[in-house]
Amino acid sequence: MTDRAGPQAETPVAKPQADPTGQKARAGTPGDAGHVEKSGRAGQVEMAGEIGAEVFDALRKVSTATVTTQLFARGLRNTFLAGLRPLNPAHTRMVGEAFTLRHIPAREDLDVLSVFRDYDHPQRLAVESVGPGQVLVMDCRGQTRAASIGGILATRLLRRGAAGLVTDGAVRDSPYFAELELPAFAAGVCATTNLARHHAVDLQVPIGCAEVPVYPGDIIVADAEGVVCVPRHLAAQVARDALEQERLEDFIQAEVAAGAPLRGTYPPDEDTLRRYRDTLPGGGGAG
């Protein structure tokens, strides 16, 4: 794995200042997904409400396709992080609160190997701040010509109990990711160190990842198809209705597989809905 800065006997370079603009990450309380930066400014506001374990359990049972449909029904059309693929096909199911990290383009006099000697470098600070059950979501502006993270840092996330990681950039050490028991989604792979293209600046602020807005504390849901971002305040109702949608669609799938035509079946007419309701516990329950 290659997250380390590498040999320290590199060609002499300009030594970074104590805190060049944006070098030290601006953030809410580290590891606290209950904070979000209002309009990208310094004032923090509390995100409303705890989310019960039953909501997370429900979201683990439904597909991202179903979740996006439920969000679309609520007027949200841009929630699926298109173009991101799972790095380990054996570990794709992921549900957790978003912990965000924002990057801007790298600058040659600031982004040098020696910055990694600072344990509070924003990238390293983010990894050490992600809490159990959270998902590290990185805004890399869709740039894949340098990695955003590698195997060592991903392993640290796994050991900290993170639910997974998401980047609209690339990763390095991809053969290691292919065996790592941490759900991880990226736009590509690239062996080049992150410093070549990315300058980490902000933790726990609103970001854009794969052109989707992601706020700290939003709920990230992923499966083999990809990643969707659920606004935190909608998570409970989306989870509830997504479960019901999938129960109905499983019934419809079986009907179509048995030879039923689309007319009257998909979408279901009243007769199909009645037969579906008869299959529910107690029979004749609400559809």
Side-chain angles (χ1 to χ4, degrees):
M1 283 79 71
T2 47
D3 285 304
R4 299 184 185 90
Q8 297 301 318
E10 69 265 15
T11 302
V13 292
K15 187 175 182 179
Q17 300 300 310
D19 184 11
T21 303
Q23 180 63 49
K24 296 292 186 183
R26 295 185 296 276
T29 304
D32 183 359
H35 287 72
V36 61
E37 194 162 315
K38 183 186 293 185
S39 302
R41 297 185 179 277
Q44 303 291 323
V45 295
E46 291 287 343
M47 297 198 84
E50 292 298 317
I51 296 178
E54 71 281 0
V55 174
F56 290 98
D57 290 342
L59 290 172
R60 290 187 186 98
K61 297 175 182 176
V62 298
S63 71
T64 54
T66 297
V67 173
T68 59
T69 298
Q70 287 297 324
L71 291 169
F72 189 91
R74 291 164 172 80
L76 298 173
R77 297 168 178 256
N78 182 33
T79 58
F80 186 76
L81 282 63
L84 308 190
R85 301 302 303 157
L87 299 174
N88 182 349
H91 293 276
T92 60
R93 177 61 71 175
M94 176 177 71
V95 179
E97 295 180 339
F99 184 105
T100 63
L101 172 62
R102 184 174 74 93
H103 295 85
I104 63 173
R107 204 175 81 180
E108 290 79 359
D109 60 332
L110 297 177
D111 295 290
V112 295
L113 288 175
S114 57
V115 301
F116 284 147
R117 297 177 185 139
D118 180 5
Y119 289 112
D120 289 328
H121 182 275
Q123 182 203 47
R124 309 305 168 88
L125 183 60
V127 169
E128 288 292 342
S129 300
V130 172
Q134 293 183 328
V135 178
L136 178 60
V137 185
M138 291 178 279
D139 170 8
C140 294
R141 313 169 318 284
Q143 295 294 317
T144 59
R145 293 181 63 188
S148 58
I149 197 168
I152 293 174
L153 298 187
T155 300
R156 180 59 180 155
L157 286 171
L158 178 64
R159 293 294 170 253
R160 286 186 58 81
L165 71 89
V166 175
T167 175
D168 65 355
V171 303
R172 65 199 307 196
D173 305 322
S174 57
Y176 182 76
F177 275 96
E179 298 180 355
L180 188 66
E181 295 181 358
L182 177 77
F185 293 77
V189 299
C190 184
T192 306
T193 182
N194 63 317
L195 297 173
R197 289 281 172 178
H198 306 303
H199 181 98
V201 286
D202 284 324
L203 282 61
Q204 290 293 69
V205 297
I207 62 171
C209 186
E211 299 188 11
V212 172
V214 179
Y215 287 76
D218 281 350
I219 305 304
I220 304 299
V221 181
D223 59 15
E225 198 152 44
V227 182
V228 61
C229 178
V230 180
R232 185 181 183 89
H233 69 283
L234 294 176
Q237 58 181 273
V238 166
R240 178 198 65 215
D241 292 350
L243 277 177
E244 174 57 25
Q245 179 185 332
E246 292 216 341
R247 281 193 289 263
L248 174 58
E249 290 187 348
D250 286 346
F251 176 82
I252 292 171
Q253 181 78 40
E255 292 282 294
V256 172
L262 293 181
R263 185 177 297 275
T265 308
Y266 188 59
D269 60 14
E270 191 53 43
D271 180 64
T272 299
L273 287 173
R274 177 188 54 77
R275 288 186 292 107
Y276 162 67
R277 288 192 288 269
D278 288 343
T279 69
L280 298 175

